[in-house]
Amino acid sequence: HWISCEKADSEFCGCASARQADYRGGISVTVNGEECARWDDERSPYRGLYGVDENFCRNPKVGEYERAWCLVDRGDHHMTEEDCDVPSCEEEAEERM
């Protein structure tokens, strides 16, 4: 059954129903265990974008991504966008029930 996210703590989880665009926690590692690059890196196309800070997982492209993600430095002026392992608030709520 569906669990509401209205009381979820965006510091610890992201709502799947919002494609984790609400997530504001400090996870900065991809699902593959790679460290995220800083959003304000000179090579980042998202430098200066509101709501992305440090190297924390976020979802500034809600229309394209299902979950929070980040940039990974691949060297030689190349960065890729990779999914993060941010917990789903809906799953967290179900586990507490």
Side-chain angles (χ1 to χ4, degrees), residues 39 46 57-61 65 67-70 81-82 84:
W39 292 100
Y46 306 100
C57 298
R58 299 290 184 258
N59 187 2
K61 294 170 76 173
Y65 287 88
R67 60 184 308 145
W69 55 277
C70 71
E81 299 172 356
E82 305 289 338
C84 290

Side-chain angles (χ1 to χ4, degrees), residues 8 14 18 23 28 31 41 45 52 54 56 60 63 71 80 82 89-90 94:
Y23 177 66
S28 59
V31 292
D41 183 283
V52 295
E54 304 285 335
F56 303 137
L71 296 169
T80 57
E82 305 289 338
C89 294
E90 288 89 347
E94 283 181 357

Side-chain angles (χ1 to χ4, degrees), residues 12-58:
F12 297 102
C13 60
C15 292
S17 57
R19 297 181 174 204
Q20 294 189 330
D22 59 326
Y23 177 66
R24 290 294 172 262
I27 294 174
S28 59
V29 177
T30 70
V31 292
N32 297 321
E34 298 172 288
E35 185 175 347
C36 298
R38 290 185 61 90
W39 292 100
D40 61 359
D41 183 283
E42 64 183 19
R43 296 164 294 159
S44 170
Y46 306 100
R47 191 170 62 189
L49 187 66
Y50 177 78
V52 295
D53 50 320
E54 304 285 335
N55 64 334
F56 303 137
C57 298
R58 299 290 184 258

